[in-house]
Amino acid sequence: MKLSRKLMIMAGGTLFIGLTAAAACEGKSGSESLFTVSQSPVTNTDFTRAAESTINGVVSIKSYATVRQQRGYSGGEEFFNDPFFDFFFGNPYGGNRQPQRRQQQPKAKEEEQQPIGLGSGVIISPDGYIVTNNHVIDGAERLEVTLNDNRQFNATVVGADPNTDLALIKIDAKELPVIPMGDSDALKVGEWVLAVGNPFGLTSTVTSGIVSAKARSISAATNGRPMGLESYIQTDAAVNPGNSGGALVNLNGELVGINSAIYSQTGSYAGYSFAIPTAIVTKVATDLKQYGTVQRAFLGITYFALDAKTAKEKGLKDIVDGLYVEEVNDRSAAMEAGIKPGDVITAINNKPTHNSAQLTEQIARLRPGDKVAITFVRDGKTQTVTTTLYNSQGSTKITQASSVTDLGCAFKKIDAETAKSLKINSGLQVTGLKDGKFKAAGIKDGFIILDINNARVSSAEDVEKIYNAIIKSTEDHVMFITGIYPTGKKMYYAVDLND
């Protein structure tokens, strides 16, 4: 039967279509101008229960440091001059980076602690463990946590992981409200979610949106700049500075992500926000609690995502989707599994790998020693192999949290007479050498350090700062040291900081 459409109305989950009387079914009265085409239940969009059950599980975190070590913070000029801020929050002062004139502030005392950051955190256990973003607590000398009931506590850092931008902190409290952990894998694109946090210091703020995408990589938006973890939940829930480290929850009030970033050209929310999925949060938080550092597994390949164009360039006829293996690293899990250059990986543990973010997420939730199933295509045939993942050193050994004390020595500044006799301006002498990284590299007691990784050093604080920067780096963890012995002999050492 041919129908003449005039009007379409969606109301109460029922679709009505207006028809002319002439188009009515045979034998029916012409007055019957509306009829039900489909009936579906109305989606529950009552956010009150989820909001009420989660706001008490989200805390406000203020970080403090002495003025001499002050780094920019959300709302300060220094933070706006950070290119990391430009990507996530834009430059609110425009491309010339000239901040608006502010009222003169009284000069602070040299050693006075000042606030350097404001963010959010999520309580994950009744005894005071809180997960947040690494960039919320990075560089802080003191952390102040405020609960939703206005109680305040000082927090200690249990561990932090710059690669995933996650940190675990602890406050001395009991019987705290906890947001139950949800399954980020079960999230669906289009599903309603709530962002709970403290934007601009406005506590207990709840915003809503939908899941816009999963396993989202944002390196394309940063012109290929590595951003650590590359597998975000993208939503259109309003997130602003101060929301970092807060909760992304589903309508059951379950934690499905940690809000971490927005993409904006104005400095405020512009439609895109990104959260770290709980599949990764759970693993990282557990590692930080147990070991103080993340047990990171590696597959050991160099690859790129296929598309129709690159598949044609590589002479592939039967596949245009997956991760094309360019190189297989020595002593790696991939080599042991028999993966070869030219293979196309299509799944990890039966989870599709259409892009790099999907592979990153699957490997990030595993530890060295875990078994992994790799599905790949070679010569048009699909194969699956199982292998054991290794750490960066090619073993399954547990990695311990490192500190500058692992170098195995103390340092003292050289006096003016020694500097004059050696014709140097300054230096830092190694003393009290014992078993550690320096001794293993061949450094001997009395060695005077001039620079580390091309940076001049004149104090133990300089060494610690460089050490921490190397450990946090995604590059090789090596100290390249230039120095001189009291005899005048100049030496160069490479100190491997890996376990």
Side-chain angles (χ1 to χ4, degrees):
M1 176 184 64
K2 186 175 181 180
L3 303 180
S4 174
R5 300 191 178 189
K6 295 180 65 177
L7 179 66
M8 181 177 288
I9 304 172
M10 181 71 76
T14 302
L15 179 65
F16 298 101
I17 300 180
L19 304 175
T20 63
C25 297
E26 290 185 11
K28 300 293 183 179
S29 168
S31 62
E32 194 171 336
S33 60
L34 293 176
F35 68 96
T36 300
V37 173
S38 64
Q39 179 74 46
S40 58
V42 179
T43 303
N44 177 23
T45 54
D46 181 3
F47 305 145
T48 57
R49 187 175 67 86
E52 289 172 356
S53 66
T54 55
I55 56 174
N56 290 323
V58 176
V59 304
S60 173
I61 301 174
K62 289 183 181 179
S63 56
Y64 294 83
T66 53
V67 174
R68 58 184 167 78
Q69 294 183 0
Q70 185 162 335
R71 307 170 67 176
Y73 67 98
S74 181
E77 294 175 7
E78 298 88 347
F79 198 35
F80 290 141
N81 285 328
D82 186 346
F84 184 82
F85 182 94
D86 280 354
F87 168 69
F88 285 126
F89 300 116
N91 182 5
Y93 298 127
N96 60 6
R97 291 179 176 272
Q98 295 298 317
Q100 296 174 346
R101 184 177 298 276
R102 298 190 305 167
Q103 190 173 7
Q104 182 89 17
Q105 297 295 326
K107 187 175 181 179
K109 295 178 181 180
E110 179 65 20
E111 298 297 321
E112 183 181 353
Q113 282 192 338
Q114 295 290 314
I116 63 169
L118 175 64
S120 305
V122 178
I123 302 171
I124 60 172
S125 70
D127 57 347
Y129 283 95
I130 297 167
V131 68
T132 184
N133 284 138
N134 175 69
H135 74 260
V136 170
I137 59 94
D138 189 30
E141 295 175 354
R142 181 171 69 89
L143 294 173
E144 181 183 273
V145 171
T146 303
L147 305 185
N148 195 45
D149 61 9
N150 291 327
R151 284 185 293 164
Q152 291 186 339
F153 300 85
N154 285 329
T156 56
V157 177
V158 177
D161 182 42
N163 190 65
T164 55
D165 193 23
L166 289 170
L168 185 67
I169 63 176
K170 176 77 165 58
I171 61 175
D172 187 13
K174 296 180 179 179
E175 299 181 0
L176 296 176
V178 175
I179 299 179
M181 199 69 68
D183 183 4
S184 58
D185 288 344
L187 272 182
K188 296 180 180 179
V189 174
E191 182 176 342
W192 282 104
V193 285
L194 304 181
V196 188
N198 307 286
F200 304 115
L202 301 172
T203 59
S204 306
T205 297
V206 180
T207 57
S208 67
I210 63 168
V211 176
S212 304
K214 294 179 64 178
R216 174 67 80 197
S217 170
I218 56 179
S219 59
T222 58
N223 298 317
R225 177 186 174 187
M227 301 299 293
L229 171 74
E230 282 292 308
S231 186
Y232 294 94
I233 301 168
Q234 180 183 329
T235 79
D236 64 353
V239 170
N240 282 291
N243 272 111
S244 290
L248 185 72
V249 301
N250 59 24
L251 293 193
N252 291 326
E254 299 167 333
L255 185 71
V256 291
I258 297 295
N259 295 314
S260 299
I262 62 175
Y263 181 51
S264 171
Q265 299 297 324
T266 64
S268 299
Y269 172 75
Y272 301 97
S273 57
F274 302 92
I276 303 169
T278 51
I280 293 175
V281 174
T282 303
K283 189 263 182 183
V284 170
T286 300
D287 281 356
L288 292 177
K289 183 178 179 181
Q290 291 183 356
Y291 311 108
T293 188
V294 176
Q295 305 303 308
R296 186 160 284 114
F298 294 88
L299 193 54
I301 59 172
T302 303
Y303 61 90
F304 63 83
L306 271 184
D307 56 25
K309 181 181 178 181
T310 53
K312 184 177 180 180
E313 291 173 352
K314 295 296 181 181
L316 302 174
K317 298 180 180 179
D318 302 318
I319 186 169
V320 294
D321 186 44
L323 302 177
Y324 184 90
V325 178
E326 287 189 293
E327 185 179 347
V328 179
N329 299 339
D330 294 337
R331 300 175 61 211
S332 67
M335 174 171 281
E336 188 169 290
I339 301 298
K340 297 179 180 179
D343 292 344
V344 178
I345 297 177
T346 58
I348 296 291
N349 284 343
N350 298 317
K351 301 289 185 180
T353 54
H354 302 297
N355 54 52
S356 175
Q358 291 174 321
L359 181 140
T360 299
E361 182 175 340
Q362 293 306 314
I363 298 299
R365 63 179 72 188
L366 300 172
R367 297 185 177 92
D370 287 346
K371 297 285 187 180
V372 64
I374 308 170
T375 302
F376 63 96
V377 176
R378 179 186 297 167
D379 298 328
K381 297 180 180 178
T382 299
Q383 306 177 45
T384 298
V385 294
T386 300
T387 189
T388 300
L389 293 173
Y390 297 131
N391 59 27
S392 60
Q393 300 304 299
S395 73
T396 58
K397 181 181 175 182
I398 294 295
T399 301
Q400 300 298 328
S402 61
S403 73
V404 71
T405 59
D406 293 340
L407 298 178
C409 65
F411 304 97
K412 71 174 183 179
K413 294 181 180 181
I414 61 171
D415 55 39
E417 184 178 344
T418 301
K420 183 178 180 180
S421 66
L422 294 174
K423 299 179 180 179
I424 58 178
N425 293 319
S426 62
L428 199 62
Q429 192 166 38
V430 173
T431 65
L433 189 69
K434 58 184 180 180
D435 290 343
K437 302 291 186 182
F438 270 19
K439 188 175 183 179
I443 294 175
K444 294 181 172 54
D445 229 359
F447 179 66
I448 299 170
I449 300 172
L450 299 179
D451 65 66
I452 301 175
N453 290 14
N454 296 319
R456 295 288 295 187
V457 295
S458 58
S459 66
E461 288 77 14
D462 291 341
V463 176
E464 184 173 5
K465 181 179 178 181
I466 294 171
Y467 177 92
N468 290 335
I470 293 172
I471 292 297
K472 291 179 180 180
S473 171
T474 57
E475 306 296 329
D476 291 336
H477 294 173
V478 181
M479 274 185 169
F480 295 101
I481 301 177
T482 302
I484 190 170
Y485 281 97
T487 59
K489 184 179 181 180
K490 197 169 185 177
M491 290 293 292
Y492 303 89
Y493 293 100
V495 181
D496 186 0
L497 301 184
N498 293 298
D499 291 331

